[in-house]
Amino acid sequence: MTETSTQTSKPYGIVAEFTTAASILHAAELVRSAGFRQWDVFTPFPVHGMDKAMGLRNSKVGWFTFVGGVIGYASGMIMIWYMNAFDYPIVIGGKPMFSPYSAFPPSFELTILFGAFGSLIGMLFLNRLPRLYHPLLKNKRFSLVTHDRFYVVIECDDPKYSEVETRRLLEQAGSRHIEVVED
Amino acid sequence: MNMNDSSTGTPLDLGKWRNVPKLLMGVGGALSLIGLFVNREQFAYSWLLSFMFFLSLCLGSLFLILMHHLFDASWTVPIRRFCEHIAALAFPWMAVLFLPIAILAPDIYTWMHVNPQFDHALRVKQPLFTWWMFDIVAIFCFLVWGVLAHRLRYWSLQQDKTGEARATHRMRRYSGPGIYLYALSLTIAAIMWVKALDYQWYSTIYGVYYFAGSVWLAIATAYIITMVLDRQGILTPVMHEHQYYYLGSLLFAFTVFYAYIAFAQYFIIWNGNMPDETFWYVLRERGTWWWISMVIIFGHFFVPFLGLLRIDVKNVFAYMTPLCIWAWAMHWVDLCFNIMPVLHPAGFAPSWQDVTCFAFMGGLLSWRFLAEFAKYPPYPIKDPRLSEAMGLYHPIPAQMSGAELDQTDEFPDAPPQFGGTNQ
Amino acid sequence: MAASAETTLDLVEAPIRVPQPPAELERTPLVANGRSFGWLSNRVASLIENKAPGWWWVLFSISLLGLGLLIFCMSYQISTGVGVWGDMRPAMWGWGIVNFVWWIGIGHAGTLISAILFLLRQRWRTAINRAAEAMTIFAVMCAGIYPLIHVGRVWYDWWLFPIPNANSIWPQFRSPLMWDVFAVSTYFTVSVLFWYMGLIPDLAVMRDRSKTKARQFLYGLFALGWTGSNRAWSNYEKAYLLLAGLSTPLVLSVHSTVSLDFSVSQVSGWHTTIFPPYFVAGAIFSGFGMVLTLVIPLRSIFKLQDIITIKHIETMCKVTLATGSMVGYAYMMEFFICWYSGDPNEAFHFSNRALGPYQWAWIPMILCNVLIPQLFWFKKLRRNLVLVFIVSILVNVGMWCERFVIIVVSLTREFLPSSWHYFRPTWVDIGTYAGTFGLFFTCFLLFIRFLPMIAVSEIKGVTPQADPHNPLGGAKVPQFVHEEH
C-alpha cells in the first residue's frame, strides 16, 4: 500500500493507527521526544495524561470565561444603575434607587451568561471550529476515531517530516496501520 | 511546575514548640481567671466567643468524617484520623469548657433575667427558654457529639487492627442517623448559644449559617495540619497531591457556600424590612461594627474567593498557609460580629480577655489533640480505600483527563511518585 | 481472597503495606460486563439508527395530542383573558405559578448532574447526564411558558426586557420578578450551551457512522468539524470544567432567585431566610425524581442495563434521599421558627397549612417529600426498580403539593380575612398543566429519537480500557493490579 498518489494534490500528513490508550500515550511521548511540532493525537475520548505526554500547555479558555464574566457583571450593575437610578428614577417601596444588594441577582446571572458564552466561544475559537472541511475527515479509515481507534497524525509541513523516517518512527511506536492522507 | 516543594522540605524541628500548648494553657488560664474577677461579663462573652470558635472546629471536623463515610469517599482517608481526634475533643473537653458558660449564663443571656410574663418574645419560647431546658439542650448536644465522634473513632481504630469490612459498615451505620442528629444538635446549639443572645430575633437559616462557617474553618485547619504532617514525613507515605487540591477546592466551595447563606439571610431580611428582624442588623451597623461587617464581606468572602479562584494555587503552600490562617481570623471575626454587639453595642471593642480565653482553650485543646494523635496510627492504616487515596489504584478511571490536574502536576497513576513531588 | 492481597511498596522512608479492599467493599465498575468502546457506540447509536419502535409512535401521538391541548388552552386564555384561570383575589398566583416553580424545579437535576457532580468527580453521572440535561431544557421550556402567559396581556411581555416601554420607563430591577427573568433566561441559555457542547463529540460519532446523506450532512453540520484532536480535547475539557464551574452557582442561584419571589415579601409562610437553600434542595429533589421516572423505563426498553447499571439507580436514590431530608430540615425549621418567633400571623399560617382547608395538600407534601424517601436508606429497596419508580413519581407529586401549599395556602389566607377564599382550578388550569406534559414528552421523545441519549464519548472515558495505566487499556506492566478474587 503505497498511498503517495500519482495525482498532483499534495499530501497532508501521515496517519498512524493505534488500538489502545496506553499505546497512543506511548506513541505521543515518542513523537514528542522526536521533536515534531505540527502533529496531533486523535482519540474517541480525552485520554488521561495525554496533555502531558504531548507537552501541551494549559488551555487558555479560562481567559475568555474570565473576561466574559467581568463584562457580564459590570454591564449588569451599570445597566441597573443607569435605568433605575439615573435615567428614570422612581421611588418603589421606599427602597434605595440603587443598591448593590438588589442589583446583585441580575448582575450575577449576567456574569454567568457572559462567562458561559466566553467559555464556549473561546473553546471554539481556540480549536478553530466550526470547520466544515478537514482533510482527515475524508479518510474512511480515520472515521473510526470516533468509534474505538486512536491516531497519531504528523503533518507534512513539519520541518522534521520525511515520509520514510516518520513512518519508521510510527512503526516503532507500534502502529499496525499507517497511511498518508492527502490534503 | 513543581511548586509544592515544601512537602519534600526537611522536617521542621517542632520539638522546641512542644511546650507551647501547656504554656498557653497555663498563662491563658491564669490571666482568664484574673479576668473573671476583673470583669466578669467581659470574661463570659470572651469565653463564649472562644468556645463557639473551637466548637466550630470540632463540629466541622465531625462533618468531614460523616461525609467521608456517607459518600464512601477515598481521598479523605489520610486526613480522616486527625479529624477524628479533633471531633472527639467535643467530649469531654468541649463539654468541660462549656461549664463556665452554663454557670455564667445569666451574665451572658439577657433572657435569663427577664420575666417571661412581661415579654412576648420570651413567653412564646417557653419552655425552651428556661435555665433547665438550656442545660438539657447542652447535655443533648454533647451527648450526640460525644457518642458520634467517639464511636466513629472507635471503629476507625478497630479498623486499624483488622481492616475488616465490618468496621467500615459500622462507621457508615453511625453516619446515617448521625447526620440527622448532627444537623439537629448543631442547629439547636447555634440557636441556644448564639442566636439567643438577641432572643427577639429569628432567622430560619441560622443553623446553616453557623454550620457553613464551621466547616469552612475545619477545612482550612485540615489543610494546615495535613501540610505539617506531610512535611514531617508522617503522612507522606500515603499522601497524594490531590488531597491538597481537593481540600483547596472544598475550601473554595465553602467560601462560596458561606457567602450564599450569609447573603440569603441578610438580603431577605433587608428586603422584607420587618422591624422584628432588621433590628439585629441595625445593631450591627452601628459604630465600628459597620466596618466589621465590611471586613466580613471582603475578608470572609472576596479575599478567599479571588484567592482560590486559580487552580494551581491550591497546591502552593506558601500561598495557602496565610490563606488558611486568614480563614481562622475571619471565622473569629464572624463569630465576634454575631456575639459581641450584645455586650458592646457602641462598636467593636476587642478585649485582652478575648486573647486569654482563646489562648487557654487553644492550648488545652491542642495539648489534648497532640496527646491523642501520638497514641494512635497517624492515618487509618488498613482502610480499604487507602490505596485509592494514594492514587495507586483506579478501579474507575478518570472520566476526563483531569484538565485541571494536568496543570498542577500529574495525577500520578503510576506508583513511583509519592506526594507527586519526587519526579 | 482479595483481602489477603497486600502489596508492599518501597518508599523513600519505609515500606508500607497497602491493604486491598475486602471483597464486599470493592467498587463496582461503571460500565457493566466490560463492554468495549465499539459496543458502547453501537448500542447508543442503534437507538437512533434503528426504525422507531411501535411504542414510540404511540407515545409520540399521545404527546402531540397533549401539545395540541396546550396550544388550545393557551390560545383560549390569551384570546379571552387570564380570568379563565382559577386565580381570584387575593390568590392571583394560582396554578400558573405553582406549575412554573414545579417545572423549573424539575429542570434542576440536569445541570446539577452535569455541573456539580462533575466537579465532585462523581463519574457515574456520565451515564445519565445527557438525558438529564435534555430533560432540564424541556422542563425549563414548560416552566417559561407560565410567567409569559400569566401576565395576561402577552403582547406586553417585552416589558420584561431591559428596553424602555412606551412611557420611557425602564423595567424595575428592585422587583424580584425581574431577577427571575434574568435567572430563568440565563439558566435556559447556559443549559442549552452546556448540553450542546457535550453533544459536539457525540454528534461527530453519529456523523462518522451515518449511512444516509441527510444524516451525514446534519450531524456533520452540528458537529462543527470535530475530529477528536487532543489539542481540541484539551481546550474542550477546560471549557467543560469552566462551564461546570459557572453552572454550579447558576443552578443554585436560579431556584434561589425563584425563592426570592416569595421570601423578599412579607407574606406569612413566604418571608423566611431559609428559602433559597430550601428551594434549591427541593428542586434537586424533584429533578432527580423526574430523572428516575424517565430513566428506569428507558433503560429496560432500550436494554441499557450495562450503561445505566443498578448502581446508578441506587446512587440517584441516595441523592433523592439526601435532598428530601434537607427539605425535611427546612420544613422543620420553618415550623420551629414559626413557634420561636411568636409572630401571630405565622402561627396562624402554619396551623392553617397543617390543619386548614388545604390539609389534603400538606399531608402528601410531608409524606412524599420527607417520609417516603427515607425508604432509600435500605439497599434492598433502592434496588427494587418498581418501588423506586413509584417513589420517584410520588416525589414529584409531593413537590407539586409543596409549591401549592406555599403559594395558594399563603395567598388565600392573607392578612385581610374578609378576602379569604378557597382556590379552585378551572378546566383551563388543568388543561394547560396537562398540556405542558405534552410539550415535555414531545420534546423528550424527539430527543431520544434523533440525538444520542447517552454521552457516548464520555462513557467511553470511564471504562477501564480508557485508562492508559490500566492493563485493560494496554498498559504493559500491571504495577498495581487488583488481584482477581
Side-chain angles (χ1 to χ4, degrees), chain C residues 193-206:
Chain C
L193 290 185
F194 206 177
W195 186 61
Y196 178 63
M197 202 177 101
L199 266 171
I200 292 174
D202 288 0
L203 289 170
V205 173
M206 294 312 298

Side-chain angles (χ1 to χ4, degrees), chain C residues 353-365:
Chain C
R353 269 189 189 182
L355 306 167
Y358 296 102
Q359 197 185 32
W360 59 264
W362 188 80
I363 289 172
M365 160 180 133

Side-chain angles (χ1 to χ4, degrees), chain A residues 20 22 39-43 45 50-51 54 59 65 83-84 87-88 90 96 102 108-109 127 129 131 146-147, chain C residues 42 162 168 170-171 173-174 179 186 208 224-225 227-235 242 250 253 457 460 473-474:
Chain A
T20 64
W39 64 289
D40 207 340
V41 169
F42 294 82
T43 52
F45 52 84
M50 184 59 85
D51 288 0
M54 283 182 72
S59 164
T65 314
M83 289 177 185
N84 292 162
D87 188 52
Y88 202 138
I90 305 172
S102 60
F108 170 79
E109 302 297 342
N127 289 341
L129 295 176
R131 180 169 178 172
T146 53
H147 194 67
Chain C
N42 292 339
S168 306
W170 295 97
F173 282 97
R174 279 163 285 182
W179 311 338
T186 300
D208 289 349
L224 305 178
T227 52
S229 137
N230 190 62
R231 290 173 202 275
W233 275 123
S234 175
N235 290 324
L242 287 165
L250 175 67
S253 79
S457 303
K460 282 177 188 166

